[in-house]
Amino acid sequence: MLLRHLRYLLAVADHGGFTRAAEVLHVSQPTLSQQIRQLEETLGVNLFDRTSRTVKPTDAGLAYIESARRVLVELEAGKRALHDVKDLSRGSLRLAMTPTFMAYLVGPLVRDYVAKFPNIHLQIFELSMDDIEAGLLDDSLDIAIAFTPVRSPDIECVPAFVETLGVMVGLGHPLYERQNPLSPKEVAQLDFALLTPDFITRSSIDGYFRQQNITPKVAIEVNSVSTLLEVIRHAPMATILPEPIATAERALRKIPLLGEAPNRGAALLRRKNNYHSAASVAFMELVMGAAAVESANSQSSTD
C-alpha cells in the first residue's frame, strides 16, 4: 500500500464518486478504480458501496477513511518539520483570526512580526470559529487567534488576553462628544446596528443585554465587520464592538458604560500533539509578549 492509495481513497470519498475524483486527481477513471480495488484487496474489505447511483463508503470504509485522514495530516506535519528553519531565516506561517480581531489586531501584529522575521511567508485568513477549528484539525492552519472555549479536545487553547466590548458611534451621531457614561436605560434608547446573530461577538453582546435587562432597538444587522463600520460612520446609529476599533482615524468614538463592560477571553489556538514550526512558536511568543505589556500598562494606569 502506497500513500497514493490513501490520497485516491480520500478523493473518492470527498467527491462522492470516481468520475469527479479522477478529474481532480488528473488520472483516468479506470486507473483510479483499479487503485481503489488494489487497496480493498490489500485490506480484505470493501471500502465503497458501488450498488447505488452514488458511491458511498461502507462502515469499514468510513472507519478507514478517518484513519487515512489522520495519517496524511501527520505526514504533512512531518514534511514541514523537515523544512523548518529554527533561525527563522525562511519558513511560512498560516494564521487565522475571527473577523473582529481582523478589524484592529492583525495590522499591529503583522507589522511587528514582519519587522522581526522578514523572510517568513505569511498566509492570513479571516474565518469563523467553526472554520478555524476545522482548519487546525485538518492541518491547513498553523495557529489562530479566536475566542474561548473551543469545542474540540484536540485543539490546544492558550489564553492570551481579555477583549472588552464597548458602545461606539460615528462622527455624525448626537452622542459623539458624550463624556459621561451611559446607563443601561440610556443604552436601551439607542438605535443599534449590530453584527448578525451567527457572530460570536453578537452572542457576547446579547448576553450583555440580557444581564442588564435591556431590550435593544436593533435597526440594522450586518454580516461583515467592515460593512458595519461603514454603516456606523455614515448613519446616526450605535454599535458594540471591541473597544480598540473606536479610533479617531476611523471617526469612531467609544462611549463609556456605567458598570462593567462586556468582555470575553481571547486565546491562541493550535492543534494538540502536533509539530509546531519555529515560525508559529515565534508568533505565539510575540502575541503573549504584547499581551503582557498591554496588561502591565493597564494595571499602571489604574494604580
Side-chain angles (χ1 to χ4, degrees), residues 124-141:
I124 304 171
F125 305 93
E126 179 179 310
L127 298 173
S128 68
M129 191 70 180
D130 288 344
D131 288 340
I132 283 176
E133 290 201 36
L136 291 169
L137 291 174
D138 69 15
D139 202 41
S140 60
L141 294 173

Side-chain angles (χ1 to χ4, degrees), residues 12-31:
V12 175
D14 291 342
H15 295 285
F18 289 85
T19 302
R20 177 60 182 149
E23 292 173 357
V24 171
L25 293 168
H26 303 293
V27 299
S28 68
Q29 185 172 331
T31 297

Side-chain angles (χ1 to χ4, degrees), residues 100-134:
T100 53
F101 288 129
M102 283 291 189
Y104 73 93
L105 191 60
V106 67
L109 285 178
V110 169
R111 175 200 63 205
D112 294 345
Y113 190 82
V114 169
K116 293 184 70 174
F117 312 113
N119 296 319
I120 300 299
H121 175 71
L122 283 173
Q123 290 180 285
I124 304 171
F125 305 93
E126 179 179 310
L127 298 173
S128 68
M129 191 70 180
D130 288 344
D131 288 340
I132 283 176
E133 290 201 36

